[in-house]
């Protein structure tokens, strides 16, 4: 198979900084789209993978799964994309497309294992896949997304992970006009949850431990801010929420939030990929309440999310960085020192 060399940034070990590398990408096969990467978001998952926090990293790690780029070449079987198109690539670049999950457009739950954008088995070149911290990528056409031309391309990048991670549960649980929706945590995920819930017509309550975040939450579209440290305020909202989106990225006590749910209402976890503190079953039983989880979304749903963003002019709040600043950006993400997503300008990688 013919390959092309690309500049990239990656980590050789879990304790190493990201540094310049050269990687190989395949030239397009008949069903492939070749993409020049313009922008790539920095996701906290990138940091977890680089530092082997989940004990499944394969090195070298080239992170990045919030990719925006321009099509430079397409395979002979590709008809939906043409040279020059603005496109996106998210967390997946392939799946078996034959199992029940894939047939239901739930490729993220592929029963034979989805091929993730980085650190998955590379069925074409061997080894493992490399992500978007690079100058280009070649992807099967079924995993390439059309980006609405009216959106700010660089601010669209985080929609490919932070966006779909928050959109999918709101869509799956049919959040809409008249619903009272809580969003727990105001970070990269939470700020998108607020924007989406507001655009869907819900009454949005930002639930936070930080009074300092109130003003920004309202700027993003929250109608009200609830301090979870204020016992009286929490009691006043008991049993009033139709849906809660919990974006907190670490294990924590979810019992106070369960108490906020109406009968038959659901709280969906999207942030804490680790053990939670003990849940009191009484909070669930006394009200037939539910706690669920959600992982990104399938390709069809991701395209629906991008189209919705195009219709409502929704993008992420971002701060741009050059590739050479990525290590300091990682530290700032860990310290929650960004509003609300870093995006790398890939033009800086060509220098």
């Amino acid at each position: 198979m013919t390959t092309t060399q690309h500049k990239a940034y990656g980590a050789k070990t879990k304790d190493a900084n990201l540094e310049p590398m050269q990687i190989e990408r395949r030239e397009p096969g008949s069903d492939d789209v070749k993409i020049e990467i313009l922008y790539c978001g920095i996701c906290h998952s990138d940091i977890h993978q680089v530092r082997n926090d989940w004990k499944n990293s394969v090195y070298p790690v080239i992170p990045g799964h919030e990719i925006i780029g321009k099509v430079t070449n397409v395979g002979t079987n590709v008809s939906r994309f043409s040279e020059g198109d603005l496109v996106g690539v998210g967390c997946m670049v392939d799946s078996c497309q034959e199992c029940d999950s894939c047939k239901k457009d739930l490729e993220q739950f592929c029963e034979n294992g989805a091929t993730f954008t980085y650190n998955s088995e590379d069925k074409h070149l061997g080894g493992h896949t490399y992500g978007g911290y690079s100058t280009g990528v070649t992807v099967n056409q079924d995993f390439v997304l059309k980006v609405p031309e009216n959106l700010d391309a660089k601010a669209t990048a985080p929609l490919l992970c932070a966006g779909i991670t928050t959109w999918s549960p709101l869509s799956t649980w049919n959040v809409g006009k008249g619903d009272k929706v809580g969003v727990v945590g105001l970070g990269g995920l939470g700020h998108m949850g607020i924007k989406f819930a507001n655009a869907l017509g819900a009454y949005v309550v930002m639930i936070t431990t930080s009074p300092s975040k109130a003003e920004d939450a309202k700027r993003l579209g929250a109608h009200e801010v609830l301090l979870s440290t204020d016992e009286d305020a929490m009691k006043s909202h008991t049993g009033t929420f139709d849906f809660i989106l919990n974006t907190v990225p670490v294990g924590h006590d979810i019992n106070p939030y369960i108490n906020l749910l109406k009968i038959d209402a659901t709280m969906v976890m999207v942030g804490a990929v680790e053990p939670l503190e003990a849940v009191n079953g009484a909070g669930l039983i006394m009200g037939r309440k539910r706690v669920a989880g959600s992982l990104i979304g399938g390709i069809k749903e991701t395209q629906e999310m991008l189209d919705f963003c195009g219709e409502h002019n929704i993008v992420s709040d971002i701060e741009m960085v050059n590739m050479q600043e990525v290590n300091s950006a990682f530290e700032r993400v860990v310290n929650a020192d960004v509003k609300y997503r870093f995006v790398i300008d890939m033009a800086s990688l060509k220098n």
Side-chain angles (χ1 to χ4, degrees), residues 11-23:
K12 294 179 179 177
T13 69
K14 69 181 183 67
D15 299 316
N17 281 335
L18 276 71
E19 60 182 75
M21 294 183 179
Q22 290 280 335
I23 61 173

Side-chain angles (χ1 to χ4, degrees), residues 270-283:
V270 295
V273 190
E274 58 184 74
L276 298 169
E277 293 185 25
V279 176
N280 188 331

Side-chain angles (χ1 to χ4, degrees), residues 41-48 51 66 133 187-188 249 319 321 325-343:
I42 294 177
C43 176
H44 212 132
S45 298
D46 297 343
I47 301 171
H48 289 310
R51 298 178 178 178
E66 299 177 341
Y133 292 14
E319 180 179 335
V321 293
E325 302 170 285
V326 67
N327 292 301
S328 60
F330 270 27
E331 292 306 316
R332 286 183 58 193
V333 171
V334 171
N335 294 321
D337 180 26
V338 58
K339 288 186 176 180
Y340 282 94
R341 257 333 218 228
F342 282 119
V343 173

Side-chain angles (χ1 to χ4, degrees), residues 42-234:
I42 294 177
C43 176
H44 212 132
S45 298
D46 297 343
I47 301 171
H48 289 310
Q49 285 285 328
V50 164
R51 298 178 178 178
N52 199 25
D53 291 337
W54 296 332
K55 310 302 180 187
N56 63 353
S57 299
V58 185
Y59 295 91
V61 174
I62 311 292
H65 57 205
E66 299 177 341
I67 299 168
I68 298 293
K70 289 277 189 181
V71 174
T72 59
N73 196 3
V74 298
T76 55
N77 292 341
V78 177
S79 58
R80 293 191 304 116
F81 301 100
S82 303
E83 184 176 339
D85 285 352
L86 186 67
V87 295
V89 178
C91 301
M92 302 175 289
V93 292
D94 210 346
S95 71
C96 79
Q97 302 188 51
E98 296 178 353
C99 69
D100 286 345
S101 292
C102 287
K103 289 176 180 177
K104 294 175 182 175
D105 298 311
L106 298 172
E107 298 93 346
Q108 73 272 33
F109 300 124
C110 176
E111 293 156 31
N112 294 302
T115 301
F116 291 102
T117 307
Y118 61 92
N119 266 19
S120 276
E121 180 183 351
D122 188 332
K123 65 175 69 174
H124 300 279
L125 298 180
H128 60 279
T129 54
Y130 296 133
Y133 292 14
S134 56
T135 53
V137 67
T138 301
V139 181
N140 181 286
Q141 61 176 329
D142 292 335
F143 288 79
V144 179
L145 298 144
K146 291 181 177 291
V147 175
E149 292 284 351
N150 63 299
L151 295 179
D152 180 352
K154 58 185 179 295
T156 302
L159 299 180
L160 279 305
C161 181
I164 187 58
T165 296
T166 49
W167 169 266
S168 184
L170 291 168
S171 175
T172 299
W173 273 268
N174 298 310
V175 167
K177 189 174 182 179
D179 288 335
K180 182 177 177 180
V181 172
V183 178
V184 185
L186 184 56
L189 296 179
H191 97 287
M192 289 308 308
I194 290 174
K195 290 186 178 191
F196 283 143
N198 179 292
L200 287 165
Y203 181 85
V204 186
V205 180
M206 178 70 231
I207 306 173
T208 179
T209 59
S210 305
S212 61
K213 293 185 177 180
E215 184 177 344
D216 221 30
K218 291 181 178 179
R219 176 186 65 82
L220 293 164
H223 301 94
E224 187 177 345
V225 176
L226 171 59
L227 294 179
S228 56
T229 53
D230 185 334
E231 291 186 10
D232 290 338
M234 290 289 282

